[in-house]
Amino acid sequence: MTIMFLDTLSQHSRCQPDKVAIQFVDGSPVTYGALEQTVNRTAAYLLSLGIARGDRVAAQLPKCLPFIYFHLAAMRIGAIFLPLNPAYPTAELRYFLADSEARLLIADRRKQHQIRTIQAELPSLEQLVFISPSESWESNVSSFSPKAKSPLPTDPDQTAMMLYTSGTTSRPKGALITHGNLTANIRALHEAWGWRQDDVLLHVLPIFHVHGLVVALHGALRAGASTIMLPSFDAAAALKLLRSKRFSVFMGVPTMHRRLHQLAGNRRCDLSHLRLMTSGSDRLPDDLFLGYQKTFKVTLLERYGMTETGMNLSNPLHGERRVGSVGMPLPGVSARIVDPATETPLPDGEVGEVQIKGAHVFKGYWRQPQKTAEAFTEDGWLRTGDMGMRERDGYYTLKGRAKDLIITGGLNVYPPEVELALMEHPAVAACAVVGCPDDEWGEQVVAAIILRDGAAADEAQICAFCRDRLAAYKVPRRVVFVDEFPANALGKIQKAKLREALCD
Ligand code: MCA
């Protein structure tokens, strides 16, 4: 029988109850024993609110312990946990809550007023729980039993989490991640990256995404290791901690690694005591990979994943970590490169779409059977939309995207989302959004706009308008007013040409 991720957590609470599981740098340690108790109490609290198996439990909170308790507790009772970026403004939040038909939202007390104003439009949202991220949640649930009231989910097909991903043509879709998916992925990473019980992870990532929540936090919890958390990424604080020799594992997106590297400047700053430093969520630039080796004496381990799957490919823990490559399939993962037109497998050395199969691959999009069907080939391969190539010795290299997607600071921005928001502006007649290369962010969101006849608007107004509708990272960093777009014979905007014209 498969030992599920949540079972391993309970095992640690029995075998090493006093070991530190999680500690915020400025907070008290939470041991595995205490974690299990508070998660069980929070699970009992959720049951007392009437939350049942399959209900969607949304959380929009800054990085804090209560978020983690609710996350594990919701999954524990078989509910579907929906983490939401705290940067989502009300308009985006309303969409996610409406689409998911969440029954409960746990949110920051400071957003109480804003959220109450949209509750009336959300008939499924029966319960709101407001908390102060810094408050001690433990005392709020101390009257609930620390012993689990319900057995842990045993069905691998049961949905554990729902994570929204956007699309090129549609509004964001909820990817359904099962307990089996989480278990398979975390087991593969455990094996591939040699997670150890004595590991200490410095955790700087947000926890509303796969990277920070699953790859980093679940990884450490599954191993029975300790996680020390920074509430948000701060390069100076992170570098100081990394130099302290307390940590063995660190995970970041290239923008974080870039900032750490810049901060170290030309000084040598030996971090080779860390046994594992990984990079993901966006392509790691070659100069950063090489710069890290020189400055930090660390060879970053680059890996490749996506929300729908968790991690797929990884450079090896032992063996060559190849510059520019995302490595090889993780244990239990199958990968292939196909001709995007015919979907027939291509020989090594040829560029095609990366397709993935395995127990870690999500079960589909929430209430979107059509989109789910489109995501898979007839024989069950997931179409990733990423282009890549396999070398003869098995290493994969990504070569761009088949889909229209911008990655900025490790976050995905789908141009249509930004274009839809821009089109709501009364002065905008037409618009097109592209990603321009940027040393720090990987890519920057840039908008080209054709104004309506006689209408006026400037960059600041357009950005302020977007800010009310979109999370800050989706707001264009640059707005360029143009008279026309490069178009093909059918009048379709040629984004590649536009990108050439807009990006230096
Ligand atoms: C913040 N800003 C951004 C981003 N983050 N703009 C574009 N892209 C971003 N990613 C905005 C802020 O709102 C602010 O706007 C301005 O940039 C400067 O903020 P700053 O304080 O410098 O940024 P920060 O708060 O330090 O954030 C940078 C960051 C953060 C730490 C790199 O973006 C981050 O945590 N990224 C990691 C995302 C992640 O975990 N991705 C994993 C996805 P203003 O000044 O206008 O207010 S999971 C995934 O991709 C798959 C599965 C995988 O393989 O991992």
Side-chain angles (χ1 to χ4, degrees):
M1 197 186 88
T2 315
I3 310 249
M4 306 281 245
F5 162 66
L6 288 177
D7 289 301
T8 56
L9 206 54
S10 295
Q11 279 171 8
H12 293 311
S13 78
R14 287 192 297 275
C15 302
Q16 46 167 10
D18 299 327
K19 167 96 185 270
V20 175
I22 302 167
Q23 179 170 17
F24 275 80
V25 275
D26 52 356
S28 311
V30 178
T31 61
Y32 273 93
L35 179 66
E36 171 85 350
Q37 284 205 0
T38 310
V39 169
N40 285 344
R41 288 188 150 121
T42 308
Y45 169 72
L46 287 173
L47 292 171
S48 79
L49 295 180
I51 301 299
R53 184 185 150 124
D55 284 345
R56 275 74 59 213
V57 171
Q60 191 193 34
L61 288 172
K63 190 171 173 181
C64 62
L65 282 171
F67 180 99
I68 297 169
Y69 297 143
F70 273 105
H71 162 58
L72 296 171
M75 294 200 304
R76 209 198 175 298
I77 63 166
I80 301 175
F81 185 73
L82 166 58
L84 294 167
N85 187 338
Y88 289 139
T90 315
E92 287 192 277
L93 181 65
R94 186 195 293 116
Y95 171 78
F96 294 123
L97 295 173
D99 185 70
S100 65
E101 293 187 1
R103 280 193 71 193
L104 166 67
L105 170 68
I106 305 122
D108 191 331
R109 204 181 294 286
R110 289 167 294 189
K111 291 201 172 160
Q112 197 167 160
H113 176 69
Q114 206 180 320
I115 288 167
R116 289 207 191 279
T117 57
I118 55 169
Q119 193 187 11
E121 302 163 41
L122 300 164
S124 308
L125 189 61
E126 291 161 14
Q127 313 265 4
L128 292 174
V129 174
F130 292 108
I131 60 171
S132 300
S134 56
E135 80 188 23
S136 152
W137 174 254
E138 294 81 347
S139 55
N140 289 339
V141 285
S142 56
S143 59
F144 291 90
S145 167
K147 294 263 177 276
K149 285 218 168 116
S150 57
L152 285 166
T154 50
D155 177 3
D157 288 332
Q158 190 175 336
T159 305
M161 291 208 293
M162 181 162 161
L163 297 168
Y164 273 90
T165 68
S166 296
T168 43
T169 52
S170 59
R171 300 293 307 263
K173 314 180 282 286
L176 301 172
I177 317 291
T178 66
H179 285 270
N181 297 153
L182 290 176
T183 301
N185 210 222
I186 258 349
R187 195 183 324 120
L189 290 177
H190 194 84
E191 199 181 309
W193 293 353
W195 270 108
R196 301 190 325 217
Q197 206 158 339
D198 63 354
D199 271 328
V200 184
L201 166 74
L202 176 61
H203 191 298
V204 299
L205 289 153
I207 48 175
F208 47 83
H209 280 305
V210 165
H211 196 166
L213 189 61
V214 179
V215 186
L217 182 61
H218 287 194
L221 291 175
R222 154 77 156 79
S226 297
T227 299
I228 309 298
M229 289 190 156
L230 276 177
S232 61
F233 179 69
D234 169 343
L239 190 56
K240 192 165 168 218
L241 287 164
L242 287 172
R243 294 178 73 166
S244 71
K245 305 212 168 160
R246 283 169 63 199
F247 300 93
S248 59
V249 180
F250 179 80
M251 298 179 184
V253 302
T255 303
M256 294 171 174
H257 290 302
R258 176 73 73 194
R259 289 186 184 175
L260 289 170
H261 187 246
Q262 275 169 351
L263 192 65
N266 292 326
R267 284 169 294 133
R268 292 265 168 115
C269 170
D270 193 332
L271 297 181
S272 59
H273 53 275
L274 278 112
R275 69 163 196 87
L276 178 64
M277 288 184 88
T278 70
S279 181
S281 307
D282 194 6
R283 194 186 167 274
L284 178 65
D286 293 359
D287 73 300
L288 189 53
F289 178 95
L290 299 170
Y292 241 70
Q293 284 182 322
K294 200 166 160 208
T295 307
F296 295 130
K297 294 212 179 104
V298 165
T299 302
L300 284 168
L301 181 150
E302 187 176 4
R303 68 6 169 229
Y304 160 72
M306 57 193 291
T307 298
E308 287 87 341
T309 59
M311 299 303 99
N312 297 314
L313 308 169
S314 172
N315 272 281
L317 180 67
H318 306 293
E320 185 196 359
R321 296 181 195 171
R322 188 168 296 172
V323 62
S325 165
V326 287
M328 291 166 273
L330 283 161
V333 175
S334 303
R336 66 177 195 178
I337 303 290
V338 300
D339 180 324
T342 60
E343 295 204 307
T344 47
L346 289 171
D348 291 342
E350 287 192 29
V351 175
E353 186 186 42
V354 182
Q355 297 193 340
I356 298 290
K357 220 183 222 189
H360 67 307
V361 176
F362 81 135
K363 75 172 177 193
Y365 294 110
W366 170 252
R367 294 187 181 159
Q368 299 249 30
Q370 181 65 30
K371 297 277 172 210
T372 302
E374 286 166 14
F376 291 95
T377 65
E378 267 174 24
D379 49 353
W381 290 88
L382 176 73
R383 302 180 169 116
T384 65
D386 287 311
M387 303 298 284
M389 179 192 91
R390 184 184 183 274
E391 286 171 50
R392 271 177 43 194
D393 57 3
Y395 280 77
Y396 284 75
T397 307
L398 297 182
K399 298 278 182 192
R401 299 162 203 135
K403 58 193 174 190
D404 192 13
L405 162 71
I406 299 167
I407 305 184
T408 170
L411 294 172
N412 292 358
V413 178
Y414 284 83
E417 271 186 283
V418 186
E419 289 159 359
L420 276 176
L422 287 167
M423 289 308 293
E424 287 176 28
H425 192 289
V428 175
C431 67
V433 168
V434 296
C436 284
D438 182 87
D439 278 351
E440 183 182 0
W441 298 96
E443 283 180 299
Q444 269 196 356
V445 178
V446 175
I449 288 178
I450 301 176
L451 290 174
R452 288 188 190 284
D453 285 344
D458 61 21
E459 183 173 38
Q461 284 168 343
I462 296 286
C463 291
F465 183 84
C466 288
R467 215 166 259 278
D468 287 340
R469 290 161 175 76
L470 299 168
Y473 66 91
K474 300 180 189 172
V475 173
R477 288 295 174 102
R478 197 151 57 86
V479 177
V480 181
F481 296 95
V482 297
D483 295 325
E484 59 180 8
F485 297 125
N488 66 13
L490 300 170
K492 190 170 182 293
I493 298 174
Q494 291 181 298
K495 289 242 171 139
K497 283 206 171 142
L498 184 64
R499 213 171 284 120
E500 262 173 47
L502 295 181
C503 310
D504 302 321

